[in-house]
Amino acid sequence: MPDSTPKDPNEEPKKDSVDLSDLQSFSFGTQWTAASKSSPDSGKSRSSKGGPRGGDRPGRRPGGSGPARKDRRPPRAPRPDAPAGEHGGERPPRDQGGRRPRGRGRHDSPRAPFHPYESPVFDVCFYPEDNCFSAIIKAMRGNHMTYELFQVAKLFMEKPDRFIASVTRKAAEGQKPERVSICAIDNMPFASDEEAIAHAMAHHAEEFFNIEEVEVEAPTGNFQFVNRCPFTKELLGPPNYHKYEAALRNHHRTRLPNMSFEKLQSSIETVREEEVIAAWLESQKKATRYTAKEVAEGEEAKVFDSVEEAMIFLRTTLKAKVVKQVNYARVSGNVLEQYKDTEAYKAMDGERQRQQRFPLDAANAIRGRMRREKFSIYKKGAKGITYVCATKRNFRSPGQVMSPDLDRIIRFIEANQLTKAKDMPAAYQEWLKSEGVEGEMDEKKVVRDLHWLIADGYISHFEDDTLFAQPVLDTGSAKPSSKAKPSGEKAKAETAVPAPEAAAPEAKPADGGEAAEAPAESVAAEAGAKPEVPETEAEKQISAASAEETSAVEPPEAKSTETSDSAESVEKPAPASVSENAEGADAEEKSEKD
């Protein structure tokens, strides 16, 4: 190719030369992009060049010359979840960088749904562990604080050593649940006896056998490769070895019980390195020998050279000491944590996640135990939140007199409910100044008085450090309102007092003597032998009036929004008017007889 570069800089280049300066304004972007707008020569290259696409054309772009073409496309309906400005509507304002806020993309999925494991075999419920329960009860009695019952239940669910899991079998529809097979050593629950025996052999073989390692001869033969487990990386041996099938079954039973045997068999790796084959041969020079600990009199101890033979001995001879069947298994959370590959642990973990989110069943399990420990459990608030405290709430009665210092503390908390205990002394000092109380405040005495009021139940100290003063419970305010107005014959029976002459007729003297006065005690004692003395008309009216007055005065059962710690009902005396009328009638009756 000839050199077209001119020797003189002022000389014009030849027509067949390539001018690279034209490429400075070249852009792969469209005309309406920022790149094309930033270029000073954008939009000129087409007009400066000839050809059918050059020259002045009607503007097809917003920046072109000529009228803009009308968009004939129909408007798109906006999505229901689209933010403002997307597919119609006002666009959101740009930020400092000139970018508009982005809406939720297709990859921004909401929070993953909560689906803990649901066991098809076991049901699990939780109870507090005794030592942990005693420690928490002791701490709650020491600080006199009020806790939500759900928070206490979640406290037991935090660590596995704080709860006991009760495991039962799920029952088929219309049938009773099957019994649970447990290992007699650690109470670990299983769905079948075979699983419990395999667990005992894998983890508690020393309880039944004396285990020792003995030297044996290495296997002989031509072994070109060995198989290896891809999950545990243990060497299983070559397939042409006569103990390979037993070794594979034992490895699946003891190391991977929750995996299907077909999956393990299809995942086995084949290794052909000589070093690996030599390592397997070296491992086969040592064998595990099991000698039974239980020996009958006059017999020698049984010795087993393989795990399979030892398991057969457990299954046939010691099954009653290895496996038990129960209606429900109580196992510690620590024991379940040790065997995370079992179905019982998965069932426990799934139920534990549900209870940590909403511990209704766990709270009901500890409610009864706390009541037996004399704890106060009550509901409070519009949501009906259940609280528990070692101190029973103490409601003040109208007109109750307390010391001036205690009364001021209660009045301050009533005026500032749910104030923080740590902020109480400073706020209380400001309140005293606003109340015009003279003298310096003794902070230690104020804190001591506050603790006394909390321990005695006049003030509740919640777990979030807030204070709440118990309201005044007016037990006598319901008396006038609850008394029903008598009407009709009942009103007449209450207002009308019978005449003494008509109420007590004269008793005729026996044999011309004075009237014999029979005491009520003797009449009641001889009621079985003598005919019953008819009740006089005055006594009937007085007893009827007393019954009507008692039913009218006695208030109905108080209904409270808080379910416990209600004030004790006060026994009400009989109405004064009825008792006075009865005494007056008795006195006049005696005077008539005299």
Side-chain angles (χ1 to χ4, degrees):
M1 180 178 179
D3 188 8
S4 62
T5 305
K7 297 180 180 180
D8 188 0
N10 298 323
E11 184 181 354
E12 292 292 331
K14 297 180 180 181
K15 293 183 179 181
D16 58 349
S17 64
V18 178
D19 188 5
L20 299 179
S21 62
D22 293 338
L23 299 177
Q24 293 179 357
S25 61
F26 185 78
S27 176
F28 287 98
T30 57
Q31 190 176 359
W32 59 86
T33 58
S36 61
K37 290 181 180 180
S38 61
S39 177
D41 297 333
S42 61
K44 298 181 181 180
S45 57
R46 285 190 174 184
S47 60
S48 62
K49 296 179 181 180
R53 299 184 64 85
D56 296 336
R57 295 182 59 190
R60 298 179 62 185
R61 299 289 184 265
S65 59
R69 297 181 63 180
K70 184 178 180 181
D71 189 3
R72 298 180 179 180
R73 293 176 298 179
R76 295 176 60 184
R79 298 196 311 268
D81 57 344
E86 185 172 347
H87 301 298
E90 295 184 0
R91 290 188 175 184
R94 297 178 182 268
D95 58 7
Q96 295 180 357
R99 297 181 301 270
R100 290 189 177 93
R102 296 178 60 186
R104 191 182 72 183
R106 60 181 179 180
H107 299 292
D108 300 334
S109 59
R111 184 184 300 176
F114 179 73
H115 293 302
Y117 179 75
E118 181 72 25
S119 174
V121 182
F122 295 121
D123 280 328
V124 182
C125 57
F126 299 98
Y127 299 94
E129 200 272 335
D130 292 340
N131 295 331
C132 180
F133 182 79
S134 301
I136 292 179
I137 289 298
K138 184 178 179 180
M140 293 178 65
R141 281 178 174 157
N143 56 24
H144 300 286
M145 294 186 69
T146 302
Y147 299 88
E148 291 186 18
L149 186 61
F150 274 21
Q151 295 299 328
V152 178
K154 289 181 178 179
L155 191 65
F156 287 106
M157 294 288 101
E158 285 182 356
K159 295 183 179 181
D161 59 345
R162 295 180 181 177
F163 61 82
I164 300 293
S166 178
V167 183
T168 57
R169 290 288 298 270
K170 286 190 173 180
E173 187 176 357
Q175 298 180 2
K176 292 184 178 180
E178 299 180 8
R179 295 168 69 87
V180 182
S181 299
I182 64 171
C183 177
I185 307 300
D186 54 7
N187 288 343
M188 190 68 189
F190 295 93
S192 64
D193 293 350
E194 285 298 320
E195 294 180 5
I197 293 173
H199 170 80
M201 191 65 200
H203 302 283
H204 306 290
E206 64 277 359
E207 298 288 336
F208 310 101
F209 302 99
N210 293 320
I211 304 174
E212 56 181 346
E213 295 287 337
V214 295
E215 294 286 340
V216 295
E217 294 182 0
T220 59
N222 186 16
F223 304 116
Q224 301 295 328
F225 58 88
V226 293
N227 288 346
R228 182 172 61 187
C229 177
F231 306 105
T232 62
K233 302 302 180 182
E234 291 187 12
L235 297 176
L236 304 175
N240 58 344
Y241 183 49
H242 67 283
K243 292 184 178 180
Y244 172 77
E245 190 67 24
L248 180 61
R249 293 282 182 181
N250 180 56
H251 179 76
H252 172 260
R253 181 171 54 251
T254 57
R255 299 299 303 274
L256 303 169
N258 292 328
M259 181 183 295
S260 64
F261 182 75
E262 291 75 13
K263 182 179 180 180
L264 173 62
Q265 199 171 19
S266 62
S267 304
I268 290 176
E269 301 174 348
T270 300
V271 185
R272 297 181 180 272
E273 286 79 1
E274 293 182 0
E275 296 81 4
V276 178
I277 297 174
W280 175 77
L281 289 173
E282 188 66 26
S283 66
Q284 295 301 310
K285 291 181 180 180
K286 293 182 179 180
T288 304
R289 181 171 294 173
Y290 301 90
T291 304
K293 290 184 176 181
E294 185 171 338
V295 181
E297 295 183 1
E299 296 183 2
E300 294 183 358
K302 295 184 179 181
V303 181
F304 309 99
D305 294 331
S306 65
V307 178
E308 291 75 15
E309 295 176 358
M311 287 189 62
I312 293 173
F313 176 75
L314 290 181
R315 189 182 300 113
T316 57
T317 307
L318 300 179
K319 184 177 180 180
K321 296 183 179 180
V322 177
V323 183
K324 293 181 180 179
Q325 287 196 347
V326 294
N327 293 328
Y328 60 91
R330 293 177 61 90
V331 57
S332 172
N334 278 337
V335 176
L336 290 168
E337 285 282 338
Q338 297 176 11
Y339 311 108
K340 294 186 177 181
D341 55 350
T342 59
E343 181 66 25
Y345 169 79
K346 294 179 181 179
M348 181 275 296
D349 188 60
E351 183 62 25
R352 181 184 177 188
Q353 293 180 29
R354 283 186 286 271
Q355 291 301 314
Q356 284 177 333
R357 185 166 184 167
F358 187 72
L360 178 61
D361 297 336
N364 290 333
I366 66 175
R367 185 194 301 267
R369 292 191 64 174
M370 287 197 158
R371 287 192 184 278
R372 289 192 292 271
E373 293 289 340
K374 308 301 181 183
F375 271 67
S376 174
I377 300 176
Y378 61 93
K379 287 187 177 181
K380 183 178 181 296
K383 295 183 178 180
I385 299 176
T386 304
Y387 292 93
V388 57
C389 183
T391 303
K392 185 178 180 180
R393 292 183 299 171
N394 201 345
F395 296 93
R396 290 167 292 144
S397 58
Q400 182 176 351
V401 179
M402 305 182 74
S403 67
D405 295 338
L406 299 179
D407 184 68
R408 281 194 291 266
I409 292 176
I410 292 178
R411 287 193 294 112
F412 164 75
I413 296 179
E414 284 180 338
N416 304 273
Q417 295 281 28
L418 301 181
T419 185
K420 298 285 185 179
K422 64 178 182 180
D423 303 333
M424 185 265 180
Y428 181 63
Q429 187 174 10
E430 296 295 331
W431 182 81
L432 289 177
K433 292 180 181 179
S434 64
E435 291 290 321
V437 179
E438 299 179 355
E440 288 292 331
M441 184 193 74
D442 188 357
E443 184 173 347
K444 292 184 178 180
K445 185 177 183 304
V446 170
V447 172
R448 188 167 57 250
D449 292 342
L450 177 63
H451 286 173
W452 184 88
L453 290 171
I454 293 173
D456 214 48
Y458 290 101
I459 294 175
S460 294
H461 187 194
F462 294 99
E463 57 182 328
D464 58 351
D465 201 36
T466 56
L467 300 173
F468 179 81
Q470 310 299 345
V472 176
L473 190 61
D474 191 359
T475 57
S477 60
K479 288 183 180 180
S481 60
S482 63
K483 183 176 179 180
K485 293 182 178 181
S487 59
E489 297 180 357
K490 295 183 179 180
K492 294 180 181 179
E494 288 184 11
T495 54
V497 179
E501 292 80 11
E506 291 187 7
K508 296 181 180 180
D511 298 335
E514 296 181 355
E517 189 173 353
E521 292 80 0
S522 61
V523 174
E526 298 174 2
K530 296 182 179 180
E532 185 177 357
V533 179
E535 188 177 12
T536 61
E537 188 65 26
E539 291 175 351
K540 291 181 180 179
Q541 294 184 5
I542 291 173
S543 61
S546 301
E548 292 292 336
E549 185 72 16
T550 304
S551 62
V553 172
E554 185 178 359
E557 184 178 357
K559 296 182 180 179
S560 176
T561 57
E562 301 173 356
T563 58
S564 69
D565 294 349
S566 57
E568 297 181 356
S569 58
V570 182
E571 207 173 88
K572 301 172 182 58
S577 60
V578 179
S579 58
E580 289 176 0
N581 291 338
E583 291 177 0
D586 291 341
E588 292 186 11
E589 186 177 357
K590 289 182 180 179
S591 62
E592 287 289 336
K593 292 180 181 179
D594 294 339

